[in-house]
Amino acid sequence: APAPAPAASPQPDEAIVAQLVSMGFSENGARRAALAVSNSSPEAATEWVFAHMEDADFNDPLPPPGSSGQAGGGGGGGGPEASPEAIEMLSA
């Protein structure tokens, strides 16, 4: 698959999403997990799911591509939230 343009928001790996959905997790949660681990592997995404399945936004749909929440903090959620990448680095 061609690499996405740098300006494009990353997309979840559909194979990882499908594997997590087949395990009984929600599609939105599976998409969040795939992105949180940079589509590295189904195993890493599964570990992320188990660590974050209680998160308030776990089952929320991902924001549409291109709407990086930098245009005015419309994400809610109470203050500076750690990015999935930062959480992954801490939990790796």
Side-chain angles (χ1 to χ4, degrees), residues 25-30 32 52-53 55-62:
F25 298 109
S26 73
E27 188 163 333
N28 288 331
R32 287 182 178 276
H52 295 274
M53 55 200 294
D55 291 0
D57 63 352
F58 180 78
N59 291 311
D60 291 355
L62 290 170

Side-chain angles (χ1 to χ4, degrees), residues 7-79:
S9 60
Q11 295 298 305
D13 181 319
E14 292 303 323
I16 293 175
V17 172
Q19 187 164 342
L20 291 174
V21 168
S22 76
M23 294 167 65
F25 298 109
S26 73
E27 188 163 333
N28 288 331
R31 289 179 181 281
R32 287 182 178 276
L35 287 179
V37 300
S38 303
N39 295 319
S40 59
S41 72
E43 294 78 19
T46 302
E47 288 179 25
W48 188 92
V49 165
F50 285 120
H52 295 274
M53 55 200 294
E54 301 299 324
D55 291 0
D57 63 352
F58 180 78
N59 291 311
D60 291 355
L62 290 170
S67 74
S68 63
Q70 299 168 355

